[in-house]
Amino acid sequence: MNFINIIEKKRDKGKLAKEEIRDFINRYVAGEIPDYQVSALLMAIYLNGCDDEETYELTMAMAESGDIMDLSEIPGIKVDKHSTGGVGDKVTLIVAPVAAACGIPTAKMSGRGLGFTGGTIDKLEAIPGFSTSLDEKDFIAQVKNTGYALIGQTKDLAPADKLLYALRDVTGTVGCIPLIASSIMSKKIAAGSDAIVLEVTHGTGAFMRDEEKACELARIMMDIGKRAGLNMKAVITDMNEPLGHAIGNSLEVIEAIEALKGTTASDVSEVMKVIIPEMIMAGGKADNKADAWKMAEEAISSGRALEAFRTMIAAQHGNPDVIDDYSLFPKAAVKKEVHAERNGYLRVKDCAGIGECVKLLGGGRITKEQAIDLSVGLEMSAKNGDKVSKGDCLLEIYARNDNEAETARMQYLKSVEIIDEEPEKNVLIYTLND
Ligand code: URA
């Protein structure tokens, strides 16, 4: 097949056939098509889109470019959960052990943070000794024995996505719904679960700023999953302010542990109340939200969810004592507070801007390979819409040194304002009906 014909077809708004998509992915992974030609095709897709069928075929070709996990040895319905990312998003750390404690086998592969967004794998690495790379056999054995494992993506998982994502990153083609949907779903399908609960974020701290676009992305990902025979659910959440109080790797794990002990910020609790029941219902353990949430509450109040987290940490060579002693987490050298300069209501103008603070502190990545400092971060004492008085502490900054703390303080002050009128609260979360 002549690749130039494929580029020209998409350039002229044509529909690519399954065979053309397969040929493109297989030959690109084999190193037979140069990046400059694939860049041209990506740009044609960016400009002219793909219909649902093309997006599905692209996803499957990418998923099948590497290993497809076979989780059939693990009894029960395997449920995965995926978030399109955000700032302070520690939801996976909380919902996975709760689901596991409710009897849902949870074989979860997560990613690292990039830019202003955090990643679950970095967060877990804040636990001393914790290993996020298990081979496939050990991963499956751990889920079978303990009900729950959380690791980084293996190198054989959807290798086509790795190549294409790197190319999209440098060709201005990341923000394209069919490319995002196929990228995410190829990895999810290759990870082998039976059901997926998607959390699609929108707002100033999300990939999709626009709520309508977030719904469109969710719809397309659900369509792909259903065509692939998976049980799909999608939840749309607001990311116009960071989730919870903590942002930064160690601090977020501590906030997640507190949630498993029963203490949560109200926005985190709202997200838990929607996502956990969806996971429990998808896993066939309850048939309505009220019963599912009752199960989850019991798993938390009895301490079983926390024990599931402890068991997972120990199984993956981490020090489970962190659960009882937060001083075992990496500690930042400097703590600096930011205070309100006037009375009023706090308004978050730019959630990504707050995420940027953590990057400036050394806790987030600019390039994929970069090492990060797991100790640094922010504790937001005041959330969007909170009434504050002059002198109140709005934020605690945990930094490596005074200079970086000051840079983060300046960035924070650009991202928020204190206003006279109470800002409107965003609708945090809703389930997308199929
Ligand atoms: N996350 C992914 O895995 N891929 C994208 O394209 C965007 C977000």
Side-chain angles (χ1 to χ4, degrees):
M1 228 174 265
N2 186 341
F3 195 66
I4 299 172
N5 295 343
I6 296 179
I7 300 171
E8 287 173 347
K9 193 171 188 186
K10 193 36 84 183
R11 180 199 66 192
D12 297 338
K13 302 190 168 60
K15 175 170 171 157
L16 300 181
K18 174 177 176 175
E19 299 68 40
E20 290 170 321
I21 293 171
R22 289 271 161 177
D23 184 66
F24 150 46
I25 293 297
N26 293 343
R27 287 203 292 136
Y28 184 47
V29 172
E32 292 167 14
I33 310 175
D35 281 353
Y36 55 81
Q37 282 192 311
V38 175
S39 303
L41 179 62
L42 290 173
M43 187 54 82
I45 292 175
Y46 183 95
L47 295 172
N48 295 328
C50 287
D51 70 11
D52 287 358
E53 211 176 323
E54 288 173 295
T55 308
Y56 170 71
E57 294 301 346
L58 180 60
T59 308
M60 294 312 290
M62 286 161 70
E64 288 165 15
S65 68
D67 290 349
I68 304 270
M69 279 266 189
D70 179 1
L71 303 181
S72 57
E73 266 183 59
I74 305 167
I77 302 171
K78 276 71 71 182
V79 181
D80 198 350
K81 175 257 166 200
H82 180 84
S83 166
T84 55
V87 181
D89 183 354
K90 66 278 298 171
V91 175
T92 293
L93 294 176
I94 303 167
V95 300
V98 177
C102 293
I104 313 282
T106 309
K108 174 105 187 74
M109 287 192 196
S110 287
R112 295 195 179 277
L114 190 62
F116 64 83
T117 64
T120 302
I121 289 306
D122 296 323
K123 292 171 203 191
L124 286 168
E125 283 178 354
I127 299 169
F130 193 93
S131 166
T132 54
S133 48
L134 301 185
D135 69 23
E136 199 172 315
K137 211 168 101 272
D138 291 344
F139 177 60
I140 292 173
Q142 184 178 319
V143 181
K144 256 173 97 178
N145 298 335
T146 70
Y148 164 39
L150 224 167
I151 63 168
Q153 279 147 14
T154 61
K155 70 174 178 8
D156 299 322
L157 194 90
D161 176 62
K162 248 174 234 134
L163 293 171
L164 285 176
Y165 195 89
L167 200 55
R168 285 166 58 207
D169 209 20
V170 292
T171 54
T173 51
V174 169
C176 164
I177 288 182
L179 294 177
I180 295 175
S182 54
S183 164
I184 293 173
M185 288 305 295
S186 63
K187 289 173 289 203
K188 293 285 110 184
I189 289 168
S193 284
D194 306 304
I196 303 173
V197 178
L198 296 169
E199 184 191 358
V200 182
T201 52
H202 67 88
T204 58
F207 247 107
M208 296 283 125
R209 298 224 149 196
D210 188 88
E211 186 174 342
E212 249 173 64
K213 289 230 166 77
C215 290
E216 176 67 359
L217 176 62
R219 187 199 64 73
I220 291 174
M221 290 198 289
M222 287 220 285
D223 179 76
I224 295 169
K226 285 179 187 169
R227 283 174 193 247
L230 305 181
N231 179 7
M232 298 295 299
K233 272 284 167 199
V235 170
I236 310 292
T237 62
D238 181 279
M239 193 47 79
N240 281 299
E241 72 164 322
L243 193 68
H245 293 286
I247 314 156
N249 297 291
S250 296
L251 298 171
E252 288 188 46
V253 181
I254 294 170
E255 190 171 15
I257 293 170
E258 283 294 309
L260 294 171
K261 289 177 180 173
T263 307
T264 40
S266 64
D267 54 353
V268 176
S269 153
E270 256 186 84
V271 174
M272 285 167 65
K273 280 182 189 155
V274 176
I275 295 199
I276 299 172
E278 290 298 348
M279 292 177 76
I280 292 174
M281 288 187 293
K285 298 287 179 190
D287 52 20
N288 65 69
K289 288 183 187 177
D291 286 352
W293 181 242
K294 219 183 264 166
M295 282 178 77
E297 280 186 310
E298 199 280 325
I300 296 169
S301 62
S302 65
R304 285 187 299 107
L306 190 64
E307 281 318 298
F309 194 55
R310 195 188 297 274
T311 305
M312 188 272 295
I313 294 175
Q316 292 183 224
H317 315 295
N319 181 357
D321 294 344
V322 291
I323 287 178
D324 309 302
D325 181 1
Y326 299 151
S327 73
L328 296 172
F329 281 101
K331 231 190 180 51
V334 170
K335 181 178 161 191
K336 183 177 184 124
E337 292 188 353
V338 180
H339 297 271
E341 284 173 3
R342 53 169 290 211
N343 299 338
Y345 294 90
L346 185 81
R347 188 175 92 84
V348 174
K349 290 190 291 185
D350 179 12
C351 178
I354 298 181
E356 285 291 332
C357 296
V358 178
K359 207 170 91 186
L360 293 169
L361 290 167
R365 271 189 200 81
I366 300 164
T367 62
K368 273 196 170 169
E369 286 71 35
Q370 200 179 343
I372 55 173
D373 189 316
L374 301 169
S375 71
V376 299
L378 311 173
E379 277 286 344
M380 295 181 62
S381 320
K383 299 267 294 168
N384 187 57
D386 282 358
K387 194 169 185 185
V388 296
S389 302
K390 186 174 175 182
D392 282 356
C393 178
L394 301 177
L395 181 77
E396 292 167 347
I397 300 173
Y398 292 84
R400 296 186 284 206
N401 55 54
D402 287 327
N403 280 349
E404 287 177 351
E406 180 54 19
T407 310
R409 187 182 78 87
M410 300 299 287
Q411 173 63 30
Y412 171 76
L413 291 175
K414 277 197 269 175
S415 312
V416 301
E417 63 184 347
I418 295 176
I419 56 176
D420 294 329
E421 298 287 313
E422 186 174 357
E424 246 179 59
K425 283 271 178 197
N426 302 305
V427 177
L428 178 67
I429 185 161
Y430 56 90
T431 307
L432 201 71
N433 293 317
D434 14 33

